Amino acid sequence: MAGYGDPHTVRSFDEELTHLNEMIARMGGLAETQLADALQSILDGDEAKAKRVVEDDHQIDVVHTDVEEFAIRMLALRQPMADDLRAIIQSLKAAATLERIGDNAASCAKRVHVLHESPAVPPLKSAVRMGWLVLDMLKQSVDAYLRRDVERAIAVRNRDSEVDDFYSSLFRELLTYMMEDTRNITPCTHLLFIAKNLERIGDQATNLAEMTYYLVTGKTLKTDRPKNDTSSFTIVEPKHFDG
Amino acid sequence: MAGYGDPHTVRSFDEELTHLNEMIARMGGLAETQLADALQSILDGDEAKAKRVVEDDHQIDVVHTDVEEFAIRMLALRQPMADDLRAIIQSLKAAATLERIGDNAASCAKRVHVLHESPAVPPLKSAVRMGWLVLDMLKQSVDAYLRRDVERAIAVRNRDSEVDDFYSSLFRELLTYMMEDTRNITPCTHLLFIAKNLERIGDQATNLAEMTYYLVTGKTLKTDRPKNDTSSFTIVEPKHFDG
């Protein structure tokens, strides 16, 4: 059996780690594309594009399963210690996070049909703008993960409060439109869920940034995470529209 | 170094697996309690209880971190193969799932304040009834996982479509109440999100059931999962209330 320091074993294990990272990179790229296409389909009312996003979600799931199988094989055959073990476990967590980001992007796209059938409402554009903010955060966090870039990971995490602020204000805006005209209720409800999916993608991108921090430093970045989402406490009174 | 078949090593590894399972059992128990308390606080408008649910969410997170650290130590020190490796990896996935179930229960509880401040709406009771269905599913799926009970796991998975049916009908009911009276918009919006959180707990309980199936049989149960959630396509026309 090849021992510690054997150049063949070392190279081959590094190659495997690189392959694992490449699969995560592929998942990240797919998740970004899915989110970008979901946002574009919402903006354009493009049902065909939205349908493709929903159908393509399984591509991320397939790579996720590959990551899991490959990582488990590495654990079994390589029996890695310390840093290598941590890298493999974090890959499993990163892959699971990207898979859920893909799910959230697909959930947004699923609502394009209803939005397209409903009256147009101005907050649709606000929701898409929130989505672009989240997409940018996602790109940064995937990048930070793949390059093991701690500075960038911290920057991503600090931007999550921007997304939360946007979400809280959009939540209030949507409720106001619903109260103004009952015909807005259906499209605004679906936009509320889209906004929630986007807010969750922001959280998941932040989780990925926290994983990067842990991977590089061995320390957690969990405490004092800025949280500005106040939507759970939002009351909008309808009285302004009754009189 | 103790070899394969060494009675001390074998007993000790089994003890460690038992400890891992006990921690998962604790997380499952906490998640069930959190969901039950969240539902009761919604039903009673009990803000003090809801606040406790939100505060106690970190208890699940603490055990989750313990599970991760313990599992990673086991992987590093025991270097398990095949079935043992699978059991440890599935523990990590089960713990992550239970942690997210706890998050969803806390998200429900966070909205009790707004619901209590808003006009009472009849769908609140429907939402709680949906929650009881989900709680029952969660109990069954935690039980199936801990006992490695494949039959029960399959039964849980088949019940997910019941939850989806309930959710789709509640979604429509909530939109109808919103259109009837603009004063219902705020409470019904928060109930929409509660219903969504409950639907996700149902999905997560189903994921746990699928993990149990995989753990025991080594096969996936992913295909042909019954999905009856049609809410993403729901349009409710306000015209019935305009005339």
Side-chain angles (χ1 to χ4, degrees):
Chain A
M1 188 181 154
Y4 180 79
D6 178 284
H8 179 71
T9 304
V10 170
R11 194 183 67 237
S12 189
F13 184 77
D14 280 351
E15 277 171 7
E16 284 182 2
L17 271 185
T18 301
H19 180 58
L20 203 52
N21 222 36
E22 280 165 359
M23 284 193 284
I24 306 279
R26 178 156 160 67
M27 286 187 80
L30 286 169
E32 287 170 20
T33 305
Q34 287 284 88
L35 178 56
D37 286 352
L39 295 171
Q40 200 59 47
S41 71
I42 292 166
L43 192 63
D44 300 339
D46 185 340
E47 295 194 38
K49 192 191 276 273
K51 199 162 168 271
R52 273 199 303 279
V53 172
V54 175
E55 285 166 359
D56 289 353
D57 183 40
H58 80 276
Q59 292 184 2
I60 302 184
D61 300 346
V62 167
V63 190
H64 182 210
T65 306
D66 289 348
V67 169
E68 286 194 333
E69 282 171 6
F70 192 78
I72 290 171
R73 267 181 63 90
M74 279 180 82
L75 290 172
L77 301 178
R78 295 286 176 178
Q79 310 200 323
M81 300 289 283
D83 287 355
D84 292 335
L85 177 60
R86 187 157 71 192
I88 296 172
I89 296 291
Q90 291 299 310
S91 297
L92 282 170
K93 292 176 81 165
T97 302
L98 289 168
E99 194 262 334
R100 287 204 297 285
I101 289 174
D103 286 347
N104 278 310
S107 293
C108 291
K110 265 187 203 157
R111 298 182 190 273
V112 168
H113 171 69
V114 171
L115 288 174
H116 199 211
E117 299 282 307
S118 307
V121 286
L124 184 141
K125 285 193 180 165
S126 311
V128 172
R129 268 200 302 277
M130 178 181 167
W132 287 333
L133 190 66
V134 168
L135 177 60
D136 195 47
M137 233 179 111
L138 172 62
K139 282 179 177 168
Q140 263 198 297
S141 85
V142 169
D143 227 51
Y145 181 87
L146 295 174
R147 297 172 189 211
R148 311 289 191 252
D149 181 340
V150 174
E151 294 303 311
R152 191 174 292 218
I154 293 170
V156 170
R157 181 171 165 277
N158 291 335
R159 288 185 63 191
D160 194 34
S161 61
E162 259 181 82
V163 173
D164 286 342
D165 282 339
F166 208 125
Y167 174 62
S168 297
S169 123
L170 180 56
F171 187 91
R172 185 172 285 275
E173 187 188 353
L174 285 164
L175 257 59
T176 309
Y177 274 92
M178 287 158 98
M179 285 167 186
E180 264 182 8
D181 188 335
T182 53
R183 284 169 297 185
N184 293 339
I185 289 179
T186 291
C188 287
T189 299
H190 290 282
L191 285 169
L192 274 172
F193 279 109
I194 286 174
K196 186 69 193 171
N197 284 128
L198 295 173
E199 188 260 348
R200 287 177 54 215
I201 295 176
D203 275 350
Q204 286 152 347
T206 306
N207 289 342
L208 192 60
E210 288 171 348
M211 285 172 211
T212 302
Y213 188 88
Y214 178 72
L215 196 53
V216 178
T217 68
K219 289 178 194 141
T220 54
L221 188 66
K222 274 274 174 194
T223 44
D224 298 329
R225 172 163 159 183
K227 267 316 251 178
N228 293 4
D229 168 18
T230 59
S231 69
S232 300
F233 310 107
T234 298
I235 298 176
V236 178
E237 298 286 353
K239 60 188 170 212
H240 311 291
F241 312 104
D242 288 355
Chain B
M1 189 183 152
Y4 180 77
D6 179 284
H8 178 70
T9 304
V10 170
R11 193 182 68 237
S12 189
F13 184 78
D14 280 351
E15 277 171 9
E16 284 182 1
L17 270 185
T18 302
H19 180 57
L20 203 52
N21 222 36
E22 280 165 1
M23 285 192 283
I24 306 280
R26 180 156 158 68
M27 286 187 80
L30 285 169
E32 286 170 22
T33 305
Q34 288 284 88
L35 178 56
D37 286 353
L39 295 172
Q40 200 59 47
S41 70
I42 293 166
L43 192 63
D44 299 340
D46 185 340
E47 295 193 37
K49 191 190 277 276
K51 199 162 168 273
R52 273 200 303 281
V53 172
V54 175
E55 285 166 1
D56 288 353
D57 183 40
H58 80 277
Q59 292 184 1
I60 302 185
D61 300 346
V62 167
V63 190
H64 182 210
T65 305
D66 289 348
V67 168
E68 286 194 334
E69 282 170 6
F70 193 78
I72 290 170
R73 265 180 64 90
M74 279 180 82
L75 289 172
L77 301 178
R78 294 288 176 179
Q79 310 198 322
M81 300 290 282
D83 287 355
D84 292 335
L85 177 60
R86 187 157 70 191
I88 296 172
I89 296 291
Q90 290 301 308
S91 298
L92 282 170
K93 291 177 80 165
T97 301
L98 289 167
E99 194 262 334
R100 286 204 298 283
I101 289 174
D103 286 346
N104 277 311
S107 293
C108 290
K110 265 185 204 159
R111 300 182 189 275
V112 167
H113 171 68
V114 170
L115 288 174
H116 199 212
E117 297 283 306
S118 307
V121 285
L124 185 141
K125 285 195 179 163
S126 311
V128 172
R129 268 200 303 278
M130 179 180 166
W132 286 335
L133 189 65
V134 169
L135 177 59
D136 195 47
M137 233 179 110
L138 173 60
K139 283 181 177 165
Q140 263 199 299
S141 83
V142 170
D143 228 52
Y145 181 87
L146 296 174
R147 297 174 190 208
R148 311 288 192 253
D149 181 339
V150 174
E151 294 303 312
R152 192 175 291 217
I154 294 171
V156 170
R157 182 173 166 277
N158 291 335
R159 287 185 63 194
D160 194 34
S161 61
E162 259 182 81
V163 173
D164 287 341
D165 281 339
F166 208 126
Y167 174 62
S168 297
S169 121
L170 180 55
F171 186 93
R172 184 171 285 276
E173 186 188 354
L174 284 164
L175 256 61
T176 308
Y177 273 92
M178 288 157 99
M179 285 168 187
E180 264 181 10
D181 188 337
T182 53
R183 284 169 297 185
N184 293 339
I185 289 179
T186 290
C188 288
T189 298
H190 289 282
L191 285 170
L192 273 173
F193 280 109
I194 286 175
K196 186 69 195 172
N197 285 128
L198 295 172
E199 188 260 347
R200 285 178 54 212
I201 295 177
D203 274 351
Q204 286 152 346
T206 306
N207 289 343
L208 192 60
E210 289 171 347
M211 286 172 211
T212 304
Y213 188 89
Y214 179 72
L215 197 52
V216 178
T217 67
K219 290 179 194 139
T220 54
L221 189 64
K222 275 275 175 193
T223 45
D224 298 329
R225 173 162 160 185
K227 265 318 247 178
N228 293 3
D229 168 17
T230 59
S231 70
S232 301
F233 310 106
T234 299
I235 297 175
V236 178
E237 298 286 351
K239 61 187 171 210
H240 311 293
F241 312 106
D242 287 355

